[in-house]
Amino acid sequence: MTNLEKFSETTAPVVHARDVRMSYGQHEILHGVNLEVAPGEVACIVGPSGSGKSTFLRCINGLEPVHVGSLRVLGQEVGYDLTNGKAKAWNAKQFAQFRTGIGMVFQRFNLFAHMDAAQNVACAPVRVLGISQQEAAERARDQLARVGLADHAHKRPHQLSGGQQQRVAIARALAMQPAVMLFDEPTSALDPELVDEVLEVMKGLARGGMTMVVVTHEIGFARDVGDTVSFFDEGVVAEHGPAREVLTHPQHERTKAFLSSVR
Amino acid sequence: MTARTAPFIEPGGSEVPVTRTIHWGRWISGTVALLLAAWLAWLFIDNPRLDWAKVGEYLFNGKILSGVWVTLEIAVLATAIGLALGVVLAVMRLSHNPVLRSLSWFYIWFFRGTPLLVQLIFWYNLAFLFPHLILKIPFTQVGVFWDTNQVMTGFTAAMLGLGLNLAAYFAETVRAGIQAVDEGQTDAAYALGMTPMKRMRYIVLPQALRIIIPPTGNEFISMLKTTSLVYVVAGNDLMTNASQIYKANNLIMELLIVASIWYMLMTAIATWLQTKLERRFGRDAVRLVRGGGLTGRLRGLAGSRTIDQGAGA
Ligand SMILES: Nc1ncnc2c1ncn2[C@@H]1O[C@H](COP(=O)(O)OP(=O)(O)OP(=O)(O)O)[C@@H](O)[C@H]1O
Ligand SMILES: [Mg+2]
């Protein structure tokens, strides 16, 4: 039984950040982030550019380090083994193992350019989980059908539109059967008319009970699909609450100013 | 630019034919260049001291033909060694491990810093330092044992010397290729649970190869001719054999022409292969690195940033 399966039986938060601080060199970017994401929750993160949203998201799956505070994801302190009263840094293998439980979707899709859509989806299940090529091909077919791209399995990324590429990227993450999905502005690089097809896929995921942390500028999506909204400002969570409440009746001046600027 | 293919039609229906332009400048410069070239060629062809019949005679001489074959063998094997080792060196150079990084740096510095000729002679004379080569399991008597002079023939010295030398140069090409792959690919690989090794093997290298492969054609073509240096260690290659013949019969110019004809033929074939290779890989390469944008790529090529472990440590 994997850590994830054990974890999914509990109701502990999927993500639990307490006073998370992170710096690039001398420059502190996150000044103490506090955030909790419950199983099945769709947690949206909004906020101005440069406020540390991407950085925090990358901390969740260990792509960036946490320097101060505690970040527990899927029941584990990210990057450290805390057994026996000692904090021992993870090695590359432990990071890799941890990340198999977390799907991530990037603003710029980051599809593997030398593989077609089906290979993109099947790659990690074969290379990381070690399932057979045949089983992975089936998985790829299922996941591509799920995002509405069954007919595009053999196209290379450059032959797909931005919206299609992003849906392949979602299918690729889902093929690992993650316990939580991270989205970093998944629709920001898309032409306006392609935004909806990606949001529809994400709505479907939310309806299916997937735990999601979504950094987005799509206020409509956050309000309709999000359970909670956290407003990031200068490296801290300035305001947090149920999505509708925060987005329709913001309490802080900065939140009000930000929301009126993106509308 | 090609000229228009149809005459103009006036509103009344009459045709206005297009007169041909005569490019006087082109005709004159072309004629002058041709005359110069012909005169130079004539100096050789008409030279009474050059025996062209001997050139024809030695062109298909057995010793020359076997030299051609050995030259091809050395070039292919040395290029293979150079390419394989070059990839290893590049990956070491970009590793997080400071020991691997420094070793690679030292190797590249050493092999680029000393003349190839010195390296060839060094390998050939290895027996002076190590009369015997022994490969055995430590603390036991189990192993193999060679006489260095038998192993280090001119051929092996040539193959090793040229291969190890090429690796040092090629490592830099590979490094540039690896760094030209968009960093987003690495992010995605790590996010899917790949280790740094898997990311390199399945995601980064296959994409870098498409950038690396086209220049390998150049490396091979230049290797074909660099093999002629092997003649200092008597590698039985084309140049060695040609020189042995002319030392015996004093037909120096004739045999140099014979050797050159073969080198040019091999180069022509290799160039043709290279064009095919580039057509196959060149097109994709441009697209593959597009992700990072031009500035990102330039930054990647210029800097000596290391590939992080994705461990964020
Ligand atoms: N690799 C890096 N090195 C140094 N500073 C960085 C690096 N990446 C990001 N930063 C800085 O960290 C801060 C937070 O960046 P981050 O990308 O997390 O913001 P963001 O909220 O995601 O913004 P956006 O909405 O523009 O994506 C910014 O000031 C940025 O300049
Ligand atoms: Mg961002």
Side-chain angles (χ1 to χ4, degrees):
Chain A
M1 191 186 248
T2 67
N3 294 339
L4 301 177
E5 283 158 0
K6 259 183 263 165
F7 182 82
S8 60
E9 288 164 9
T10 72
T11 52
V14 177
V15 177
H16 192 175
R18 275 172 297 169
D19 189 37
V20 165
R21 290 165 187 270
M22 186 274 177
S23 317
Y24 282 116
Q26 294 297 308
H27 197 61
E28 193 173 84
I29 304 296
L30 300 179
H31 304 294
V33 173
N34 291 290
L35 191 70
E36 249 180 68
V37 180
E41 177 179 330
V42 177
C44 293
I45 295 177
V46 300
S49 184
S51 57
K53 308 180 297 292
S54 299
T55 305
F56 179 67
L57 210 63
R58 292 168 64 88
C59 287
I60 292 178
N61 69 354
L63 285 178
E64 304 291 349
V66 171
H67 293 126
V68 179
S70 159
L71 179 55
R72 283 184 170 266
V73 177
L74 300 171
Q76 303 169 71
E77 184 67 40
V78 180
Y80 287 90
D81 191 352
L82 296 184
T83 48
N84 305 329
K86 272 177 273 179
K88 194 169 170 297
W90 285 353
N91 59 28
K93 255 207 173 103
Q94 288 170 300
F95 269 104
Q97 165 66 28
F98 165 71
R99 290 183 188 127
T100 57
I102 304 167
M104 186 162 196
V105 175
F106 300 88
Q107 184 173 351
R108 304 232 21 118
F109 328 134
N110 296 353
L111 289 183
F112 301 135
H114 58 307
M115 301 179 182
D116 67 22
Q119 289 166 332
N120 260 281
V121 180
C123 177
V126 172
R127 304 300 181 197
V128 176
L129 302 180
I131 73 173
S132 71
Q133 293 275 2
Q134 199 185 351
E135 202 182 325
E138 272 167 41
R139 232 189 240 197
R141 212 169 19 241
D142 293 347
Q143 294 302 340
L144 285 175
R146 184 170 173 187
V147 298
L149 291 174
D151 297 337
H152 297 61
H154 298 297
K155 288 194 182 159
R156 291 284 194 90
H158 65 89
Q159 295 169 311
L160 296 167
S161 75
Q164 290 168 333
Q165 287 189 56
Q166 193 60 297
R167 285 187 283 153
V168 173
I170 294 172
R172 176 175 71 175
L174 290 175
M176 294 294 284
Q177 300 174 331
V180 53
M181 286 282 287
L182 312 177
F183 293 85
D184 190 1
E185 299 194 34
T187 58
S188 293
L190 298 178
D191 293 336
E193 72 272 20
L194 301 177
V195 167
D196 279 341
E197 62 184 58
V198 172
L199 292 183
E200 278 310 313
V201 169
M202 292 169 63
K203 272 181 206 167
L205 270 183
R207 253 182 265 123
M210 175 64 80
T211 310
M212 294 160 62
V213 183
V214 186
V215 174
T216 186
H217 288 305
E218 296 290 332
I219 301 303
F221 174 87
R223 189 185 50 229
D224 299 340
V225 185
D227 294 309
T228 60
V229 163
S230 303
F231 176 70
F232 264 58
D233 189 39
E234 292 181 355
V236 296
V237 178
E239 188 165 353
H240 174 88
R244 261 169 205 285
E245 220 170 282
V246 174
L247 294 174
T248 47
H249 303 292
Q251 299 300 307
H252 291 254
E253 286 309 314
R254 300 290 299 243
T255 322
K256 284 179 197 167
F258 174 76
L259 288 175
S260 61
S261 76
V262 294
R263 280 235 170 74
Chain B
M1 210 170 37
T2 50
R4 59 177 282 125
T5 50
F8 290 92
I9 312 287
E10 289 277 337
S14 59
E15 283 190 8
V16 183
V18 182
T19 50
R20 266 191 76 203
T21 321
I22 301 174
H23 300 278
W24 288 108
R26 285 186 208 170
W27 277 99
I28 294 168
S29 57
T31 313
V32 171
L34 207 61
L35 284 175
L36 261 173
W39 174 68
L40 277 174
W42 188 246
L43 282 184
F44 277 88
I45 296 167
D46 190 40
N47 194 318
R49 272 160 286 197
L50 251 180
D51 189 347
W52 284 97
K54 289 286 179 201
V55 171
E57 187 182 314
Y58 278 106
L59 196 55
F60 297 101
N61 175 292
K63 195 159 180 176
I64 292 292
L65 290 183
S66 93
V68 169
W69 180 244
V70 170
T71 287
L72 271 177
E73 271 183 323
I74 294 177
V76 168
L77 290 173
T79 307
I81 292 175
L83 301 193
L85 190 58
V87 171
V88 174
L89 284 168
V91 171
M92 279 168 67
R93 190 90 180 80
L94 293 168
S95 145
H96 241 29
N97 185 331
V99 177
L100 296 185
R101 220 164 47 222
S102 329
L103 273 178
S104 170
W105 177 88
F106 181 81
Y107 181 102
I108 293 169
W109 175 66
F110 181 80
F111 279 89
R112 297 211 302 186
T114 53
L116 179 53
L117 208 52
V118 172
Q119 290 169 31
L120 283 173
I121 298 173
F122 171 84
W123 288 114
Y124 189 54
N125 293 294
L126 200 63
F128 277 126
L129 295 180
F130 310 101
H132 306 290
L133 295 176
I134 302 167
L135 203 66
K136 72 177 183 93
I137 301 165
F139 313 118
T140 68
Q141 294 306 314
V142 188
V144 258
F145 177 94
W146 295 281
D147 183 352
T148 308
N149 264 328
Q150 270 166 15
V151 178
M152 265 308 154
T153 58
F155 185 87
T156 14
M159 195 180 72
L160 267 183
L162 295 173
L164 298 186
N165 188 264
L166 173 61
Y169 286 90
F170 194 61
E172 295 292 292
T173 309
V174 177
R175 183 163 75 126
I178 289 174
Q179 291 185 328
V181 176
D182 180 26
E183 268 178 281
Q185 302 283 309
T186 287
D187 278 347
Y190 283 146
L192 286 163
M194 289 193 194
T195 55
M197 281 295 283
K198 284 183 184 169
R199 172 217 51 163
M200 186 54 85
R201 171 142 177 236
Y202 299 116
I203 307 303
V204 176
L205 269 186
Q207 295 186 55
L209 273 183
R210 283 151 197 261
I211 300 159
I212 297 163
I213 279 176
T216 59
N218 280 333
E219 302 288 3
F220 181 70
I221 289 170
S222 119
M223 180 62 84
L224 275 174
K225 285 158 295 172
T226 315
T227 53
S228 61
L229 283 180
V230 164
Y231 114 104
V232 298
V233 297
N236 290 325
D237 68 309
L238 177 54
M239 190 58 206
T240 309
N241 289 3
S243 72
Q244 280 170 2
I245 297 174
Y246 71 60
K247 275 173 195 156
N249 64 10
N250 229 6
L251 294 170
I252 300 178
M253 284 300 173
E254 286 79 358
L255 278 146
L256 286 183
I257 291 173
V258 167
S260 298
I261 290 173
W262 280 109
Y263 281 121
M264 282 160 73
L265 184 70
M266 287 190 277
T267 305
I269 295 171
T271 307
W272 176 71
L273 287 174
Q274 183 197 19
T275 316
K276 287 184 68 164
L277 203 68
E278 283 181 359
R279 209 167 286 156
R280 173 107 194 274
F281 287 97
R283 224 177 315 121
D284 268 9
V286 183
R287 221 161 23 220
L288 280 164
V289 290
R290 200 179 45 179
L294 185 64
T295 47
R297 235 150 50 228
L298 290 177
R299 182 158 37 82
L301 286 171
S304 62
R305 102 193 121 88
T306 57
I307 291 173
D308 71 279
Q309 298 266 337

